[in-house]
Amino acid sequence: MTSDLTQIDGLAYLVYRSSAVDHLNDEDLQDILTSARDRNEENAVTGCLHCEDGMFFQWIEGPAQAIHMIGNLILNDPRHYDVTVLGQGALDARRFPDWRMRFSGRSNGSLMDWFASSDISTFDRKEYVGGVVTFLASIDI
Ligand SMILES: Cc1cc2nc3c(=O)[nH]c(=O)nc-3n(C[C@H](O)[C@H](O)[C@H](O)COP(=O)(O)O)c2cc1C
């Protein structure tokens, strides 16, 4: 199975984690969400963004070409750094069909606490990525 988004015909996803720049404030976050939701809607992209302890975890899903394009915009955005793509590829069905970009913070759920109470080894990359995705999907907003 290819992880090259340009080679995928249907739906695709991309999940990453990054560090927010130190000076990022609530207004910056609102700006990010407003432009993200506008562009996502135009491109039939849905997903979620989780922010905790200065780190972002984001899942985006939609037509593969749109995920490729928006993924590149996100990866090059100077409002965060150390962007690490955890996974990308073809997707059977959307996980966040009702969200142009759901946002959650620590008050909605803590990934760190969730990992601490799970049996998942965060040193095993596959387990770690699976855990991040399971956690994001489990948040109830
Ligand atoms: C953490 C984070 C998440 C983002 N998520 C999205 C997204 O889901 N969709 C999107 O179109 N842009 C998203 N962006 C914003 C784009 O990176 C940004 O809009 C792009 O760099 C172009 O800026 P502009 O909106 O001023 O044209 C995100 C940015 C950051 C920092």
Side-chain angles (χ1 to χ4, degrees):
M1 207 162 84
T2 180
S3 63
D4 179 353
L5 297 179
T6 63
Q7 301 302 309
I8 297 171
D9 278 336
L11 281 178
Y13 74 95
L14 185 147
V15 58
Y16 73 84
R17 78 168 188 190
S18 65
S19 298
V21 290
D22 270 348
H23 52 80
L24 199 88
N25 58 31
D26 281 355
E27 203 179 317
D28 297 325
L29 196 54
Q30 281 314 316
D31 283 348
I32 290 173
L33 285 172
T34 302
S35 61
R37 286 170 176 154
D38 285 351
R39 195 179 294 109
N40 291 352
E41 183 163 32
E42 276 167 29
N43 291 280
V45 166
T46 51
C48 71
L49 175 65
H50 181 72
C51 184
E52 179 173 340
D53 298 342
M55 295 196 72
F56 286 122
F57 296 83
Q58 190 175 26
W59 167 281
I60 59 172
E61 60 191 12
Q65 302 318 312
I67 296 304
H68 180 62
M69 183 271 287
I70 288 178
N72 279 331
L73 286 178
I74 295 174
L75 265 47
N76 291 309
D77 193 308
R79 292 169 288 190
H80 60 174
Y81 61 98
D82 281 353
V83 184
T84 305
V85 175
L86 301 174
Q88 59 181 13
L91 184 68
D92 288 339
R94 288 179 193 261
R95 294 180 176 215
F96 302 91
D98 302 329
W99 295 95
R100 287 180 299 148
M101 187 47 58
R102 189 190 74 187
F103 178 76
S104 54
R106 213 178 204 291
S107 59
N108 303 108
S110 164
L111 176 61
M112 304 311 150
D113 290 351
W114 186 85
F115 269 133
S117 64
S118 79
D119 292 332
I120 290 171
S121 163
T122 52
F123 295 105
D124 180 294
R125 188 183 167 86
K126 230 176 149 183
E127 281 195 38
Y128 173 74
V129 175
V132 169
V133 174
T134 303
F135 167 77
L136 291 175
S138 76
I139 296 179
D140 193 12
I141 291 182

